[in-house]
Structures are given as structure tokens and as C-alpha cells.
Amino acid sequence: MTQSGEPQVLVSGKHVREAVAHCVNCLTGVSAAQWHVRAGNLEWTCWETLEHLADDLLTYALRFGLTSPIDVPRVPLRISSERPEGPANVIFSDKQAGPGGLLTVVEACGGLLATVVDATPSTTLAPHVFGASDPEGFAAMGVVETLVHTHDIAQAVQRAWEPPQDLSERALARLFPDVLITDTPWSTLLWATGRIETPDRPRRTNWRWYGAPSGRG
């Protein structure tokens, strides 16, 4: 516990902003043609993957705009896809604004999530497909989504990229209590989210995180 009696926060809006800033820095300057190649092992293009990330950040934030988030299974926005195999989103970037515009959308959505989770009482719960979670949990989800999807895109556009180990360590501690950190927190997060295999652990084909408040003291 902190001196004020509040539980120590592992992941906050500050960490969401940090993750998004590293994403934007990594992907700034990627050529227009490269955005149309497939991202990592996903079925989506790099452009679609980054739009999906923006969509995640936005919809996580919107959950906490309600008076009682836990009573509303989902904010009833219209969901659509631009092609059958593409992601189903509520938000799309204006293609006329180019890659720079898409990165601006991601930064704005990340900033919105960061602001909302820091302003919401820590006891507030909102629904998620893996179970109800608190603002800290949704901040951690935003960090994970940002880090792993930046990795997916960086792989495809052949950009070397590795985020600060602290971000991965915090996300693992908050959402993956079942995962033992081996090698580095970043490589462990990639393994935990099914991105890589290691000599001791085969690649995960079915994985999830655990967002329920942990009651840390």
C-alpha cells in the first residue's frame, strides 16, 4: 500500500502514453507502400493492424465514459470492416491523411485512454471479453496491444524495435500472473501473446490475459 492507503499502481496512463510514443517513433517514416504488406503473422495489413490498435485504445477509453460501465456490456457503436478479412472497427483513419495521419489517430486514442484511466476511480469496473477489469487493467491492456502490434508491424517493414523492458514487465505482472519471466520481460511478453517460441516453450496458439483486479496490497 502507499502512504495514502491506496494500492500501488503498476500500470497507469503514463505507461499508455509511453507505449504509444514508442510506437509512433518506431513507425514514423515507414513508406506508403510498406503499409499494405501483411503485419507479422496476422491476416491484416500493417495499416489495418494500426487501425485496429487505435480502435482498441478508443473503445477501452469509451467504457469508462459511462456512469456505471459494468452495467453496459458494450457501447453500441456501429462496427464495420473495409474488406471481409480485415479487422472490425468503429474507427478508421482518413487515408487521404496518409501514414502520418494514421499515427496521429493512434496517438490521440492512446492519449484519450491515458487520460480516462487516470481520471476514473480505481474501484470502477468495466466489462471485457476476458472478464471485468479496472482502469489499471485496461491501461495494461492498452500497453500490451500497443507493444505487440507495433512488433507485428515493425517485423513486416523490417524495422528493428524493442520497447523498454519496464513496460513489458509491468504489463506481464498485471495481466499475465501465470507467466514466468524468462530471458527478458519483452521476449516473455512476445511469448505470452503467441508471437514467438523459445527453446523451452513452444509458441502459444491459445492465450489470454487476466484483467480482474488482483487486490494487491
Side-chain angles (χ1 to χ4, degrees), residues 8-109:
Q8 183 178 3
V9 175
L10 276 172
V11 189
S12 69
K14 167 188 171 182
H15 303 107
V16 176
R17 289 185 187 276
E18 184 179 350
V20 170
H22 284 289
C23 166
V24 172
N25 288 339
C26 172
L27 300 179
T28 294
V30 171
S31 69
Q34 288 179 296
W35 286 100
H36 300 292
V37 302
R38 197 173 79 170
N41 293 317
L42 304 180
E43 295 299 321
W44 304 332
T45 67
C46 293
W47 182 282
E48 290 170 337
T49 300
L50 202 60
E51 278 188 330
H52 164 77
L53 170 59
D55 190 82
D56 280 339
L57 297 171
L58 175 67
T59 54
Y60 289 169
L62 291 178
R63 294 174 191 273
F64 292 104
L66 298 164
T67 303
S68 182
I70 197 63
D71 295 328
V72 182
R74 60 175 289 267
V75 178
L77 297 169
R78 184 172 65 86
I79 299 173
S80 60
S81 299
E82 293 196 329
R83 64 185 185 94
E85 298 82 11
N89 296 341
V90 302
I91 184 173
F92 297 88
S93 178
D94 180 1
K95 287 185 171 57
Q96 295 299 315
L102 176 54
L103 289 167
T104 298
V105 172
V106 170
E107 183 179 2
C109 292

Side-chain angles (χ1 to χ4, degrees), residues 11-13 15-21 23 52-61 64 106 109-111 113-114 117 128 133-150 161 167 171 174-176 189 209:
V11 189
S12 69
H15 303 107
V16 176
R17 289 185 187 276
E18 184 179 350
V20 170
C23 166
H52 164 77
L53 170 59
D55 190 82
D56 280 339
L57 297 171
L58 175 67
T59 54
Y60 289 169
F64 292 104
V106 170
C109 292
L113 175 61
V117 298
H128 185 271
S133 191
D134 56 6
E136 183 196 44
F138 276 91
M141 294 176 208
V143 168
V144 171
E145 295 280 7
T146 301
L147 297 185
V148 299
H149 285 313
T150 302
W161 182 75
L167 284 176
R174 182 59 183 81
L175 297 179
F176 297 91
L189 182 62
W209 57 51

